[in-house]
Amino acid sequence: MTDTFPAPPAISSEIGYSTHDAIFVRGNNLATDLMGHLDFGSMFYLLVTGRRPDAAQAEMFNACLVALADHGLTPSAIAARLTLLAAPDAVQGAIAAGILGAGPKFLGVFEDAGRMLHTASPTTLQSDAEFEKSAGEIVADYRSAGRLLPGLGHPIHKDGDPRTSRLYELAKANGTYGPYMKLLEVVREAAEQATGRALPINAAGACGAVLCDIGLPVDVLRGVAVVSRAAGLVGHVAEEQQNPIAEAVWFGTEHQADSSRAPHSD
Amino acid sequence: MTDTFPAPPAISSEIGYSTHDAIFVRGNNLATDLMGHLDFGSMFYLLVTGRRPDAAQAEMFNACLVALADHGLTPSAIAARLTLLAAPDAVQGAIAAGILGAGPKFLGVFEDAGRMLHTASPTTLQSDAEFEKSAGEIVADYRSAGRLLPGLGHPIHKDGDPRTSRLYELAKANGTYGPYMKLLEVVREAAEQATGRALPINAAGACGAVLCDIGLPVDVLRGVAVVSRAAGLVGHVAEEQQNPIAEAVWFGTEHQADSSRAPHSD
Amino acid sequence: MTDTFPAPPAISSEIGYSTHDAIFVRGNNLATDLMGHLDFGSMFYLLVTGRRPDAAQAEMFNACLVALADHGLTPSAIAARLTLLAAPDAVQGAIAAGILGAGPKFLGVFEDAGRMLHTASPTTLQSDAEFEKSAGEIVADYRSAGRLLPGLGHPIHKDGDPRTSRLYELAKANGTYGPYMKLLEVVREAAEQATGRALPINAAGACGAVLCDIGLPVDVLRGVAVVSRAAGLVGHVAEEQQNPIAEAVWFGTEHQADSSRAPHSD
Amino acid sequence: MTDTFPAPPAISSEIGYSTHDAIFVRGNNLATDLMGHLDFGSMFYLLVTGRRPDAAQAEMFNACLVALADHGLTPSAIAARLTLLAAPDAVQGAIAAGILGAGPKFLGVFEDAGRMLHTASPTTLQSDAEFEKSAGEIVADYRSAGRLLPGLGHPIHKDGDPRTSRLYELAKANGTYGPYMKLLEVVREAAEQATGRALPINAAGACGAVLCDIGLPVDVLRGVAVVSRAAGLVGHVAEEQQNPIAEAVWFGTEHQADSSRAPHSD
């Protein structure tokens, strides 16, 4: 006799379901309460948290999604274009290939910065002294483990990432500036003091802090970055469809490789 | 000697690039001109078309992205949850697995509807008679080829998809109602007449027509649907992280399979 | 009330299942009948067809898998390496990104060639005259539709793909040479006559014909190519882990793009 | 002026390249030296390590690939089938979705077991006493960190995984039994003594040890598992094309979810 599997427990999902004449998403009537009432960024916030954002949260969430959507010919964008070259009829495959590059080295920084801040439970910190103590511990921990502090420093924008100052400006104006954004600033000061180097907060770090301050769970941050970048990837797909470059990238790579190969006699 | 690859031609991408102190996306300064000025849906429109949407276009684009973002426990959402079960640390993989299901049978309908309308060049049609002639030809062509008309009919919302009426209402109110949306209505009438059955316009069809009317290229429609659905998939990922059901789905599948297997003696 | 889903029908899969002390795959005891008795290529044949290959079929199936496994720095290999650069801890993502490039333009040719031959039902053709008639019709159909004949011609191996002659040699020696391989040769002759150009059978075409002759269903051919290429992609992953080039490819692409951008004043 | 990227360094890949009349893979002439001379498993070994396996290594490598290829309706197989349901024309997407589930919880165990053994540098251990000391340290480390020992225990095959005994039998017969396989046995004894529970070596653990003993680098183990499982996934794709069950799985999931939802009045 084969081993039998018992009847599985019932399952539930609160995200969405349909009736004969209506569709509900997170408890809202999609057609009458959401479409035309809410921008896509706010819908995304609702899908992930189960709550509609208030106006300030929506502004910050949208600003982060806008900030991370594209950054030119990144490895992820190149991978998407090469995949489209090979399989032009499966656009979903090109986008999937691109977002598979949303790992720890690139978009994941975003999540790492959020997690770093989260370990200090910033919402429980009261005084400036408590923030400084937590920041000092974070910096010491990372340095003793030989790890880079996520969210600080940038290879190109050495004098400061312009997206970071914009996010802080918006948050201070609309009242969402909170303990995560503050702690990140204090961590940066502690890190600069400890290393003697300029370590500006980069956009990934700032977005990580902003999203925590507006109530996103840390575990979902990478997913937020993925959707933002997916929009950028569709931009690359659209451009590739009209002005293709993937074949030239491929040939360029072969050329790079070929010129390093010693000629042989046969 | 190996075959040599010639130096490849220079390539160009107009989407994004960086200077020392600024980032440009589609010609706009990201930090000063886009972040805080534009919602994510409008940014997505800019990334894909190179143009900012006007207010009415932004409303319609956001409404479509909201409409398609989620539809409960679809095959795509289940695939994403099962992938997360197996690889919980690679959220990007779960989302990628989900969007690989954005093929012709589900989200692709969207694109198919746009392509069907596009073949009739609706922007060149002048009179009602011309619309009716084109619609009649489309219906005849699909029927003689034995193909279903994409964008018409719905297995559950038999009396009309509530998202469709909402999109038409919004478009008529904000002035984006155009030849694609009109042609789809006329195709629907022709199809109902030819078949004698009710064939309401479904949300995928309506969104395909809306997006063409607001200036999206047909080739990119599937990509738009993918990003919309990616937001829904992150909602499923977030729910799965807090209230997991994928293991129960897996056991449920094994149970379905097991109960059909005749017991044997060894 | 929500719409209810009826209890689904029982399902069955004949591929594999476990009992307390044994695992069965396609009806064979995995530990005692398969492991150590059969190479991985033959196991793959069993998984796909439900039958063990005979010795000649196993030789041809393995030869095709060997033939298609790698072809240097293809778009697919580059995409896999770039994805590994971004997400080095998710090797499965890098391989997935690479195989998403197994579309119609590259590995899909394989399947297209099989389908082209399949439409002529080569197993029913009796005489040389019948083969010539079918081949002539295929060539005429493709030419009148303006389509390239899949499996013929090669950008580099203009005098003949060395893998093709090897496959024909093996098949003639072991008795698997059959109507698909024969029809492909006759199609090639007809195509060369019609176009006046040399159109050697390429490896993808030859493999497509071989696999049909040894009993693989046409619908599964692309999947066979994907597994073969996946082995090559793991080779690229292993090399990238030891001697990384993806970052240089990325910078090379940026350099290609940058040198084409006119300098501007700000 | 934009920031400029310097000309990138030349790159090299030793896997494969072509000349006018030959293709080389890892230094071997593909058509004359590999096709027909070597099974696909051995080719895979060559691609990954750069060396051809000897007969005993080839037997063990093939046995591991055979052992891991399929395990019935796993989350990974279900995800592949659901993706095929949604996008039947993009078989590569279905396979990619399936292998994205090759994460730490399932196929990754394989790699984790290899890494666990690798930390003890088993090739340097001389006497039984040294093996026992290393094994004791491994067990103590994992237990003090609250981590499960990878490669030990099985939810179904509680009296021993039949694949494990087969792999040990083969390795002892052909002379590849080595320090990794031995250390795993000693770890198992130490773990059973420490916990008082039966902890048989499972197939993933045994394969991890076997592959290290035949010279595969630890970093590539997950990739090996992915290719093996990809063959199984093509088996599921082939079965799904002929005897589809994905729709029933989907409806079964909806049914599971639906029956848990309290009816409501509207």
Side-chain angles (χ1 to χ4, degrees):
Chain A
M1 210 190 73
T2 63
D3 293 301
T4 50
F5 280 84
I11 58 179
S12 67
S13 165
E14 295 306 315
I15 294 186
Y17 64 97
S18 302
T19 66
H20 180 67
D21 54 8
I23 295 158
F24 293 89
V25 177
R26 290 285 194 184
N28 298 269
N29 185 307
L30 176 60
T32 60
D33 296 343
L34 300 176
M35 290 168 66
H37 294 291
L38 178 110
D39 63 87
F40 177 52
S42 299
M43 177 72 175
F44 185 16
Y45 185 102
L46 169 67
L47 283 161
V48 170
T49 66
R51 302 182 305 275
R52 290 196 204 204
D54 64 29
Q57 290 170 331
E59 182 173 49
M60 295 315 294
F61 195 57
N62 275 295
C64 289
L65 291 167
V66 166
L68 299 173
D70 191 65
H71 210 51
L73 290 171
T74 55
S76 161
I78 303 169
R81 286 173 180 260
L82 289 165
T83 306
L84 191 74
L85 173 66
D89 61 334
V91 165
Q92 74 275 20
I95 304 170
I99 69 176
L100 288 170
K105 287 261 221 114
F106 290 82
L107 286 178
V109 170
F110 189 52
E111 179 182 341
D112 296 340
R115 285 194 192 285
M116 173 185 74
L117 300 171
H118 196 65
T119 56
S121 302
T123 53
T124 67
L125 301 176
Q126 309 278 346
S127 62
D128 285 1
E130 285 181 22
F131 275 92
E132 281 159 26
K133 185 164 171 290
S134 284
E137 288 167 3
I138 288 172
V139 172
D141 285 355
Y142 273 75
R143 282 170 61 82
S144 74
R147 296 171 61 197
L148 289 176
L149 286 152
L152 301 184
H154 198 286
I156 296 177
H157 307 298
K158 292 185 199 300
D159 301 335
D161 187 317
R163 296 166 293 186
T164 300
S165 39
R166 181 67 174 143
L167 287 169
Y168 273 85
E169 177 187 273
L170 289 168
K172 283 173 178 169
N174 70 24
T176 56
Y177 177 82
Y180 284 86
M181 294 184 73
K182 177 170 176 174
L183 180 59
L184 184 57
E185 287 180 301
V186 187
V187 167
R188 171 232 175 137
E189 281 158 28
E192 294 192 332
Q193 212 156 356
T195 62
R197 291 193 299 126
L199 288 170
I201 297 170
N202 57 40
C207 285
V210 165
L211 294 187
C212 290
D213 272 329
I214 64 171
L216 274 290
V218 166
D219 284 340
V220 97
L221 294 190
R222 198 186 297 186
V224 170
V226 164
V227 172
S228 169
R229 189 52 58 92
L233 291 168
V234 177
H236 284 275
V237 163
E239 197 185 64
E240 185 72 25
Q241 288 171 335
Q242 286 158 21
N243 174 30
I245 63 171
E247 198 170 65
V249 168
W250 173 29
F251 292 166
T253 301
E254 292 275 18
H255 178 71
Q256 258 184 287
D258 197 58
S259 58
S260 76
R261 195 177 290 145
H264 38 130
S265 53
D266 61 326
Chain B
M1 211 191 71
T2 63
D3 293 301
T4 50
F5 279 84
I11 59 178
S12 67
S13 165
E14 295 305 315
I15 294 186
Y17 65 96
S18 302
T19 66
H20 180 68
D21 54 9
I23 295 158
F24 293 88
V25 177
R26 290 285 195 185
N28 298 268
N29 185 308
L30 175 61
T32 60
D33 296 342
L34 300 176
M35 290 169 64
H37 294 288
L38 169 120
D39 63 86
F40 177 52
S42 299
M43 177 72 176
F44 185 16
Y45 185 102
L46 169 65
L47 283 161
V48 169
T49 66
R51 301 182 307 275
R52 291 197 204 202
D54 64 29
Q57 290 169 332
E59 182 172 48
M60 296 314 293
F61 194 57
N62 275 294
C64 289
L65 292 167
V66 167
L68 298 172
D70 192 65
H71 211 51
L73 289 172
T74 55
S76 163
I78 303 169
R81 286 172 180 262
L82 289 166
T83 305
L84 191 73
L85 173 66
D89 61 334
V91 165
Q92 74 274 18
I95 304 169
I99 70 176
L100 288 170
K105 286 262 221 111
F106 291 83
L107 286 178
V109 171
F110 191 50
E111 179 182 341
D112 296 339
R115 286 193 192 286
M116 172 186 75
L117 300 171
H118 196 65
T119 55
S121 303
T123 54
T124 67
L125 302 175
Q126 309 278 346
S127 62
D128 284 359
E130 285 180 24
F131 275 92
E132 281 158 27
K133 184 163 172 291
S134 285
E137 288 167 3
I138 288 172
V139 172
D141 285 355
Y142 273 75
R143 281 171 61 83
S144 74
R147 295 171 62 195
L148 289 176
L149 286 152
L152 300 185
H154 197 286
I156 297 178
H157 308 298
K158 293 185 199 300
D159 301 335
D161 188 317
R163 295 165 294 184
T164 300
S165 39
R166 181 67 174 140
L167 286 169
Y168 273 84
E169 175 187 273
L170 288 168
K172 283 173 177 167
N174 70 24
T176 56
Y177 177 82
Y180 283 86
M181 295 184 73
K182 178 170 177 173
L183 180 58
L184 184 56
E185 288 179 302
V186 187
V187 167
R188 171 233 174 133
E189 281 158 29
E192 294 192 333
Q193 213 157 355
T195 62
R197 291 194 299 126
L199 288 170
I201 297 171
N202 57 38
C207 285
V210 165
L211 294 188
C212 290
D213 272 329
I214 62 169
L216 273 290
V218 167
D219 284 339
V220 97
L221 292 190
R222 197 187 297 185
V224 170
V226 164
V227 171
S228 170
R229 190 50 58 94
L233 291 168
V234 176
H236 284 274
V237 164
E239 196 185 62
E240 184 72 24
Q241 288 171 335
Q242 286 158 20
N243 174 29
I245 63 171
E247 200 170 65
V249 169
W250 173 30
F251 292 166
T253 302
E254 292 274 18
H255 178 72
Q256 259 184 286
D258 199 59
S259 58
S260 75
R261 195 178 288 145
H264 35 129
S265 53
D266 59 326
Chain C
M1 212 192 73
T2 63
D3 293 303
T4 50
F5 281 84
I11 58 179
S12 67
S13 166
E14 294 307 314
I15 294 186
Y17 64 97
S18 301
T19 67
H20 179 69
D21 54 8
I23 296 158
F24 293 89
V25 177
R26 290 284 195 185
N28 298 268
N29 184 308
L30 175 60
T32 60
D33 296 342
L34 300 176
M35 290 169 64
H37 294 289
L38 162 125
D39 63 87
F40 177 52
S42 299
M43 176 73 175
F44 185 16
Y45 186 102
L46 169 65
L47 283 161
V48 169
T49 66
R51 302 182 304 276
R52 292 197 203 203
D54 64 30
Q57 290 170 331
E59 181 172 50
M60 295 315 292
F61 195 56
N62 274 296
C64 288
L65 292 167
V66 166
L68 298 173
D70 191 65
H71 210 51
L73 290 171
T74 55
S76 163
I78 304 169
R81 286 173 179 261
L82 290 166
T83 305
L84 191 73
L85 172 67
D89 61 334
V91 165
Q92 74 274 21
I95 304 169
I99 69 175
L100 288 170
K105 286 260 222 116
F106 290 83
L107 286 179
V109 171
F110 190 50
E111 178 182 341
D112 295 340
R115 286 194 192 286
M116 173 184 76
L117 300 171
H118 196 65
T119 55
S121 304
T123 53
T124 66
L125 301 176
Q126 310 278 347
S127 62
D128 284 1
E130 285 181 22
F131 275 91
E132 281 158 27
K133 184 162 172 291
S134 284
E137 288 166 1
I138 288 172
V139 172
D141 285 354
Y142 273 75
R143 282 170 61 83
S144 74
R147 296 172 62 195
L148 289 176
L149 286 152
L152 300 184
H154 198 287
I156 296 178
H157 307 298
K158 293 185 198 300
D159 300 336
D161 188 317
R163 295 166 293 186
T164 299
S165 38
R166 180 67 174 143
L167 287 168
Y168 274 84
E169 177 188 273
L170 288 169
K172 283 172 180 169
N174 69 24
T176 56
Y177 177 82
Y180 284 87
M181 294 184 73
K182 176 170 178 175
L183 180 58
L184 184 56
E185 287 180 302
V186 187
V187 166
R188 171 234 174 132
E189 280 158 30
E192 295 192 333
Q193 212 156 357
T195 62
R197 290 194 299 126
L199 287 170
I201 296 172
N202 56 40
C207 285
V210 166
L211 295 187
C212 290
D213 273 329
I214 62 170
L216 273 290
V218 167
D219 284 339
V220 98
L221 293 190
R222 199 188 294 186
V224 171
V226 164
V227 172
S228 168
R229 189 52 57 94
L233 291 168
V234 177
H236 284 274
V237 163
E239 196 185 63
E240 184 72 25
Q241 288 171 335
Q242 285 158 21
N243 173 30
I245 63 169
E247 197 170 66
V249 169
W250 174 29
F251 291 166
T253 301
E254 292 275 18
H255 178 72
Q256 258 183 289
D258 197 57
S259 58
S260 75
R261 195 177 288 145
H264 35 131
S265 53
D266 60 326
Chain D
M1 215 190 69
T2 63
D3 293 300
T4 50
F5 280 83
I11 58 178
S12 67
S13 166
E14 296 306 315
I15 295 184
Y17 64 95
S18 302
T19 66
H20 180 68
D21 54 9
I23 296 159
F24 293 88
V25 177
R26 290 284 195 186
N28 298 269
N29 186 309
L30 176 60
T32 60
D33 296 341
L34 301 176
M35 290 168 64
H37 294 289
L38 173 115
D39 63 86
F40 178 51
S42 299
M43 177 73 175
F44 185 16
Y45 186 101
L46 168 66
L47 283 162
V48 169
T49 66
R51 300 182 306 275
R52 290 196 202 204
D54 62 31
Q57 290 169 331
E59 181 172 51
M60 296 314 293
F61 194 56
N62 274 296
C64 288
L65 292 167
V66 167
L68 298 173
D70 192 65
H71 209 51
L73 289 172
T74 55
S76 162
I78 304 169
R81 285 173 180 261
L82 289 166
T83 306
L84 192 73
L85 172 66
D89 60 335
V91 165
Q92 74 273 20
I95 304 169
I99 69 174
L100 288 170
K105 286 260 221 116
F106 290 82
L107 286 179
V109 171
F110 190 50
E111 179 183 341
D112 296 340
R115 285 192 193 287
M116 173 184 76
L117 300 171
H118 196 64
T119 56
S121 302
T123 53
T124 67
L125 301 176
Q126 309 277 347
S127 62
D128 284 2
E130 284 181 23
F131 274 92
E132 280 159 28
K133 185 163 171 292
S134 283
E137 287 167 3
I138 288 173
V139 172
D141 284 355
Y142 274 75
R143 282 172 61 82
S144 74
R147 297 171 62 196
L148 290 176
L149 286 152
L152 301 184
H154 197 287
I156 296 177
H157 307 298
K158 291 184 200 300
D159 301 335
D161 187 317
R163 296 166 294 184
T164 299
S165 40
R166 181 68 173 140
L167 286 170
Y168 273 85
E169 176 188 275
L170 288 168
K172 282 172 179 168
N174 69 22
T176 57
Y177 177 81
Y180 283 86
M181 295 184 73
K182 176 170 179 176
L183 180 58
L184 184 57
E185 288 180 301
V186 187
V187 166
R188 171 233 174 136
E189 282 158 28
E192 295 193 331
Q193 210 156 358
T195 62
R197 291 194 298 127
L199 288 170
I201 297 172
N202 57 39
C207 285
V210 166
L211 295 187
C212 289
D213 272 329
I214 62 170
L216 273 290
V218 168
D219 283 339
V220 97
L221 293 190
R222 197 186 299 184
V224 171
V226 164
V227 172
S228 169
R229 190 51 58 94
L233 291 168
V234 177
H236 284 274
V237 164
E239 195 185 63
E240 184 72 25
Q241 288 171 335
Q242 285 158 22
N243 174 28
I245 63 170
E247 199 170 65
V249 169
W250 173 30
F251 291 167
T253 301
E254 292 274 17
H255 177 71
Q256 260 183 286
D258 198 60
S259 58
S260 76
R261 195 178 289 146
H264 35 131
S265 53
D266 60 326

